[in-house]
């Protein structure tokens, strides 16, 4: 009998897991997959993300690198500017093929574009599975999970009640529903599920604003303000410019206590009211007219185990590294690859597969969740003097090309860790 799997969330790692499983050895008939997504349709919005480190070989193994190159946004680097908007120094792209990606990745992508690539890949895998007599994958939009119940040891599978009133039984439930994961809170308990989120007292807001003709579309712009605040613009080759607001204020951030996100702009307008003249009007006009504003408190999700019985967590739901690391997308893809690999390696033995998932993935997650000493506050100085010092240090490092030397010496894979091999997944090399 095929393994009945419910995946909660149709973002990046949910469709990636479905694709990997259906392509695996025996996959067309070994799995019957349902993906539920609370939004009414595929979420193709969102801001810029990147692919780096071990995430690149995962996409290569999936045979999707050509599709990734087709959706890359063009960004040559990041310029740090002063209070007049004058560039002080710039970090470029590492496109040498050696060492890790730089501050700007060679593979900068819009989140929605990558979601679409992975979703389409899962539909192709599903059609192929059906041709071979399998069930493929079924997507159900506008549906959430109301309750999850199972025996403590997970034997017998998981009973699920969906928001439309249906009650269904699954052999495995995978929560791929983000850092505020409802699946985590349902399976681990409300208190433990919330306690898994560890705040970094870092807050971020994202929205788009009209482009201006004078804007260099290939260079992202970062502008620091005193009080541990930062404004960034990314124009790339899209019709609108992305605007980001950041602050690392431990006690009075504009989004303090809001983990799942908010669309309230007023706290951000108040917090950035003294922005410098060269960008203030543009930012505030954007805040007044935005249709896609989103803000949240950044943090990391940490758990001793990523499964409880027959419920497993994937991506940000289980091990969000935070946007500060730049490895959220990569962690989601590697997690999907390892979970699929362990399930394929242990056909019919879900418990053994989940144990292997934790064991094989743990060293990588421990590595990507490491933060540089003082992060995130060190990235946003408290005073004008601190900003001047950061700019001076940046000029010194880039003028002497120390940044490029460091990238050439460091391993391309995070921590130098290589992906485990799963021949059962039948992937390209």
């Amino acid at each position: 009998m095929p393994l009945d799997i419910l995946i909660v969330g149709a973002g990046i790692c949910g469709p990636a897991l479905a694709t990997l499983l259906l392509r695996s050895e025996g996959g067309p008939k070994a799995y019957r997959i349902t993906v539920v997504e609370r939004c009414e349709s595929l979420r193709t919005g969102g801001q810029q993300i990147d692919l780096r480190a071990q995430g690149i070989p995962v996409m290569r193994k999936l045979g999707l690198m050509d599709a990734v190159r087709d959706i890359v946004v063009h960004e040559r680097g990041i310029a740090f500017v002063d209070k007049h908007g004058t560039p002080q120094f710039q970090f470029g792209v590492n496109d040498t093929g050696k060492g890790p990606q730089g501050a700007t990745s060679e593979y900068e992508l819009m989140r929605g574009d990558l979601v679409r690539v992975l979703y389409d890949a899962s539909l192709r895998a599903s059609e192929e599975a059906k041709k071979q007599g399998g069930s493929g994958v079924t997507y159900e939009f506008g549906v959430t999970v109301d309750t999850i119940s199972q025996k403590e040891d997970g034997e017998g599978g998981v009973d699920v009640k969906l928001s439309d009133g249906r009650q269904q039984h699954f052999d495995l439930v995978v929560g791929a529903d983000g850092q505020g994961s409802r699946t985590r809170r349902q399976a681990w308990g409300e208190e433990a599920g919330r306690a898994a989120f560890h705040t970094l007292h870092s807050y971020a807001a994202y929205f788009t604003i009209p482009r201006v003709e004078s804007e260099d579309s290939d260079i992202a712009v970062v502008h620091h303000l005193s009080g541990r605040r930062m404004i960034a613009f990314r124009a790339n080759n899209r019709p609108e410019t992305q605007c980001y607001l950041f602050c690392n204020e431990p006690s009075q951030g504009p989004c303090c206590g809001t983990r799942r996100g908010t669309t309230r702009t007023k706290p951000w307008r108040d917090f950035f009211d003294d922005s410098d003249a060269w960008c203030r009007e543009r930012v505030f006009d954007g805040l007044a007219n935005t249709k896609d504003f989103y803000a949240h408190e950044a943090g990391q999700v940490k758990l001793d185990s990523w499964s409880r019985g027959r419920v497993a967590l994937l991506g940000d739901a289980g091990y969000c590294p935070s946007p500060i690391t730049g490895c959220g997308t990569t962690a989601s893809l590697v997690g999907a690859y390892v979970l699929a690999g362990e399930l394929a390696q242990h056909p019919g033995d879900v418990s053994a597969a989940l144990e292997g998932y934790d064991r094989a993935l743990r060293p990588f997650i421990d590595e990507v969740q490491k933060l540089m000493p003082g992060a995130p506050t060190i990235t946003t100085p408290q005073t004008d003097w601190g900003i001047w010092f950061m700019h001076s240090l940046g000029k010194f490092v880039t003028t002497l090309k120390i940044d490029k030397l460091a990238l050439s010496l460091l391993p391309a894979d995070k921590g130098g860790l290589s992906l485990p091999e799963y021949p059962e997944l039948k992937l390209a090399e």
Side-chain angles (χ1 to χ4, degrees):
M1 295 293 291
L3 201 67
D4 259 321
I5 299 178
L6 174 66
I7 300 174
V8 185
I12 289 173
C13 48
L17 177 63
T19 304
L20 288 158
L21 289 173
L22 292 175
R23 289 185 180 180
S24 66
E25 191 171 276
K29 294 183 179 180
Y31 306 103
R32 182 163 48 232
I33 303 171
T34 302
V35 181
V36 294
E37 167 57 49
R38 64 185 177 88
C39 293
E40 295 294 331
S41 60
L42 193 68
R43 291 185 297 158
T44 55
Q47 303 300 325
Q48 197 165 317
I49 59 176
D50 53 30
L51 187 64
R52 56 182 65 230
Q54 288 89 336
I56 297 171
V58 169
M59 294 300 285
R60 188 175 295 122
K61 286 174 179 290
L62 278 165
L64 295 175
M65 283 307 293
D66 285 343
V68 165
R69 292 186 184 95
D70 287 342
I71 61 172
V72 165
V73 296
H74 303 294
E75 188 172 278
R76 291 185 291 111
I78 299 178
F80 292 75
V81 303
D82 64 13
K83 62 182 181 181
H84 304 294
T86 305
Q88 300 299 298
F89 67 96
Q90 179 177 314
F91 290 129
V93 175
N94 178 17
D95 55 6
T96 65
K98 299 179 181 178
Q101 300 293 319
T104 291
S105 170
E106 185 180 357
Y107 303 103
E108 294 286 335
L109 315 165
M110 299 305 293
R111 180 194 176 277
D113 291 346
L114 181 58
V115 167
R116 172 63 69 179
V117 164
L118 292 166
Y119 173 72
D120 288 347
S122 72
L123 294 183
R124 291 194 298 271
S126 181
E127 287 302 310
E128 188 61 34
K130 290 176 181 178
K131 289 178 183 177
Q132 299 179 46
S135 301
V137 59
T138 301
Y139 282 89
E140 298 186 11
F141 294 97
V143 177
T144 59
V145 175
D146 280 352
T147 61
I148 290 174
S149 60
Q150 62 175 332
K151 294 180 180 179
E152 189 171 335
D153 59 6
E155 290 301 315
V158 187
D159 292 312
V160 171
K161 181 180 178 182
L162 299 173
S163 57
D164 58 10
R166 285 178 295 156
Q167 298 196 30
Q168 292 185 242
H169 182 82
F170 294 94
D171 299 304
L172 173 65
V173 172
V174 179
D177 48 347
Q179 72 173 32
S181 173
R182 190 177 181 189
T183 306
R184 186 178 71 234
R185 289 182 281 124
Q186 288 170 328
W188 270 253
E190 190 69 28
E191 184 177 349
R194 289 187 180 277
F197 178 85
H198 297 262
T199 182
L200 294 174
H201 302 292
S202 180
Y203 312 93
Y206 318 90
F207 55 104
T208 52
I209 58 178
R211 286 189 62 166
V212 294
E213 288 189 17
S214 60
E215 204 164 22
D216 188 338
S217 62
D218 288 344
I219 301 294
V221 173
V222 173
H223 172 49
H224 286 89
L225 295 88
S226 61
R228 303 200 183 284
R229 296 169 299 164
M230 186 169 67
I231 300 173
F233 301 102
R234 303 182 98 161
N236 52 65
N237 55 339
R238 299 304 165 108
E240 292 183 301
T241 294
Q242 304 163 68
C243 184
Y244 304 77
L245 304 179
F246 300 96
C247 75
N248 294 315
E249 177 53 57
S251 60
Q252 55 182 2
C255 207
C256 188
T258 306
R259 295 177 180 176
R260 286 187 63 86
T262 178
T263 56
R264 294 176 61 237
T265 62
K266 186 179 185 307
W268 291 86
R269 293 199 305 270
D270 294 343
F271 206 71
F272 283 81
D273 188 56
D274 61 341
S275 299
D276 293 312
W278 74 273
C279 64
R280 186 183 188 281
E281 183 177 352
R282 194 177 184 203
V283 170
F284 274 63
D285 283 349
L287 286 171
N289 299 296
T290 179
K291 298 295 190 297
D292 57 1
F293 179 88
Y294 180 82
H296 71 107
E297 181 177 8
Q300 296 186 324
V301 174
K302 296 187 177 184
L303 289 163
D304 293 334
S305 174
W306 297 315
S307 63
R308 176 154 292 193
R310 292 292 185 92
V311 178
L313 299 176
L314 179 62
D316 282 355
Y319 34 83
C320 174
S322 89
I324 297 165
T325 65
C327 287
T329 302
T330 288
S332 292
L333 290 170
V334 173
Y337 168 77
V338 172
L339 179 55
E342 293 295 329
L343 285 167
Q345 202 171 73
H346 299 88
D349 193 342
V350 175
S351 296
L354 295 181
E355 289 175 8
Y357 170 56
D358 198 296
R359 183 173 56 253
L361 187 62
R362 185 69 60 172
F364 171 73
I365 297 302
D366 287 345
E367 184 65 33
V368 299
Q369 287 192 330
K370 290 179 181 177
L371 301 174
M372 73 172 89
T377 54
I378 194 173
T379 63
T380 48
Q382 177 66 36
T383 65
D384 289 336
W385 182 91
I387 295 171
W388 172 86
F389 180 79
M390 171 182 279
H391 287 172
S392 299
L393 181 61
K395 290 177 185 177
F396 175 78
V397 168
T398 54
T399 299
L400 296 182
K401 296 183 170 50
I402 296 173
D403 56 322
K404 293 185 178 181
L405 176 62
L407 290 176
S408 69
L409 296 176
L410 293 171
D413 294 334
K414 189 72 174 177
L417 300 174
S418 58
L419 292 172
E421 292 296 329
Y422 295 106
E424 298 84 359
L425 289 180
K426 298 174 65 177
L427 297 174
E429 292 302 320

